[in-house]
Amino acid sequence: MLHNTISPPLSNDAPVVLEMSHVSKSFGAVTALVDVSVKLRKGEVLALVGDNGAGKSTLIKVLSGYHKPDAGTITSKGRPVRFQSPRDARAEGIETVYQDLALIGDLSIYHNMFIGREYHKRVLGMRMLDNDRMRGMAEEYLSTLGINIPNVNSTVDRLSGGQRQCVAVARSIYSSPSVLILDEPLAALGVRESAHVLGLVQKLRREREVSIILIVHNYSQIFEVCDRINFLHSGEIVLDAATSDITEEELTRTVKSGLGRLLRPEERAVPMAATP
C-alpha cells in the first residue's frame, strides 16, 4: 500500500500541457459534446464528473484520438494537433487506461507490461523474446511505483481488481507520458483496492510530472487526489472549480440542482434535505 502524504500545491505558473477549445462532436442526430473547453496544466489532477451519457467517454476518446471533433481545436504543449488515430495521441504523450484495462489474463504480469513494445535478443541467430530483461525491468518499475506484486511471473487473472488497475496504470506511464487519462479506475473496486489505486495517483500527483484526467463518481475520492473539477452535463462543461474552492457537499448540491454553476453563498446555506 502506498502512503498518502500531503501533495505539494500545484504551481500557479504551471504551463498548460493539453487544451480543448470549443470542441463539439455529434453522432448522427445525437450531440455528444457542445462547445467544450478543457485545460490541463503540468502536474495537475483533473476530475471529470457527470452522469452516464453526459459525454465523458466521447471527450476522452477525442483526446485519445479515437474520435475526430466536428468543430474546435486541440492544443498539446502549446501546439495545435490533429489526431488521426490513437497512435497519434500516444506519440504526443497521451496515454489512456480504459475500464477494460486491455490486459491479457492468461499472460504473465511482466509480459502484459511490455505488450506492443517487447524486448528481444538474438539466440543462435534467432530473434527471441528477452524474458529475463522484461521480467527484471517490470519488477524494478513496479517496485519504484510502490506497487506490491509478489511475483511478476504470475498471470494477470490471479490478481485482484486493484492490482490489475495498478499494473494497467504502470504499463501506461512506463512510456513516460505527459498526460494520463484514467477512465473510472475505481469502478467495482472495494475500499482497500480503491485506496491502493488512489495511492498510486497520489504518488504521481506528489511528483507533479504527469498530468492526469480522472473520471470518477465517488466525490470523496475526488477531494483526496484531485486539484480541480470539471462537471460535464448534457455534453457541456458547466462547472470548472478548484477542489479548494468547493466542498464535497457543495459539489453534490450543484450537480443535483442542475444549475451548472457554483452555488451562491445564500444557496449554499440551504440544508441538503431542502434540495429537491
Side-chain angles (χ1 to χ4, degrees):
M1 185 69 66
L2 298 171
H3 296 292
N4 185 9
T5 57
I6 297 175
S7 298
L10 187 67
S11 171
N12 290 329
D13 58 358
V16 174
V17 295
L18 186 65
E19 183 173 5
M20 299 177 75
S21 298
H22 307 292
V23 166
S24 296
K25 179 65 180 177
S26 297
F27 299 94
V30 178
T31 300
L33 298 177
V34 183
D35 197 35
V36 168
S37 295
V38 174
K39 285 185 179 181
L40 183 66
R41 296 189 291 167
K42 180 177 174 59
E44 183 175 40
V45 182
L46 172 66
L48 183 63
V49 302
D51 292 331
N52 292 333
K56 302 187 301 298
S57 293
T58 301
L59 188 153
I60 65 172
K61 286 182 177 178
V62 167
L63 288 177
S64 302
Y66 279 97
H67 294 321
K68 298 177 185 178
D70 297 329
T73 60
I74 300 175
T75 304
S76 175
K77 306 178 187 70
R79 298 179 294 102
V81 293
R82 294 181 65 86
F83 299 144
Q84 302 299 319
S85 70
R87 179 175 294 180
D88 290 345
R90 285 194 294 270
E92 194 60 35
I94 301 172
E95 287 282 350
T96 304
V97 179
Y98 292 99
Q99 291 184 55
D100 63 9
L101 303 182
L103 297 175
I104 300 176
D106 57 1
L107 281 186
S108 70
I109 295 164
Y110 76 86
H111 279 125
N112 270 278
M113 284 285 295
F114 291 96
I115 288 177
R117 50 173 178 258
E118 295 86 353
Y119 286 94
H120 295 84
K121 62 182 179 181
R122 290 282 178 180
V123 178
L124 300 177
M126 299 178 62
R127 189 170 184 261
M128 303 181 66
L129 289 175
D130 193 342
N131 290 317
D132 289 341
R133 182 180 183 185
M134 290 188 290
R135 185 185 297 110
M137 293 176 69
E139 288 175 343
E140 180 179 0
Y141 194 64
L142 291 171
S143 176
T144 299
L145 290 175
I147 300 172
N148 182 24
I149 303 291
N151 187 355
V152 296
N153 293 307
S154 297
T155 56
V156 162
D157 56 14
R158 298 177 66 88
L159 298 178
S160 70
Q163 288 174 319
R164 293 184 195 191
Q165 284 284 359
C166 287
V167 168
V169 172
R171 183 180 64 184
S172 294
I173 64 177
Y174 184 77
S175 58
S176 300
S178 55
V179 174
L180 179 63
I181 303 173
L182 302 179
D183 183 10
E184 298 191 39
L186 308 174
L189 296 186
V191 174
R192 178 176 295 182
E193 292 181 329
S194 293
H196 199 123
V197 178
L198 286 172
L200 178 55
V201 174
Q202 191 68 279
K203 175 179 172 61
L204 296 174
R205 183 186 184 217
R206 287 197 300 272
E207 295 170 353
R208 293 297 190 189
E209 292 297 322
V210 182
S211 304
I212 300 174
I213 296 177
L214 182 66
I215 297 180
V216 63
H217 283 105
N218 187 317
Y219 294 163
S220 64
Q221 293 166 341
I222 290 173
F223 289 89
E224 283 186 57
V225 299
C226 297
D227 301 290
R228 198 160 50 87
I229 305 165
N230 276 188
F231 171 38
L232 191 63
H233 179 68
S234 297
E236 299 181 70
I237 297 291
V238 295
L239 172 68
D240 182 356
T243 50
S244 58
D245 292 337
I246 185 173
T247 66
E248 181 181 345
E249 183 180 16
E250 290 168 348
L251 175 60
T252 301
R253 289 180 181 175
T254 301
V255 172
K256 285 186 175 181
S257 72
L259 294 175
R261 55 175 170 76
L262 275 173
L263 301 184
R264 295 190 298 271
E266 60 270 23
E267 293 170 324
R268 298 181 190 181
V270 177
M272 182 68 75
T275 304

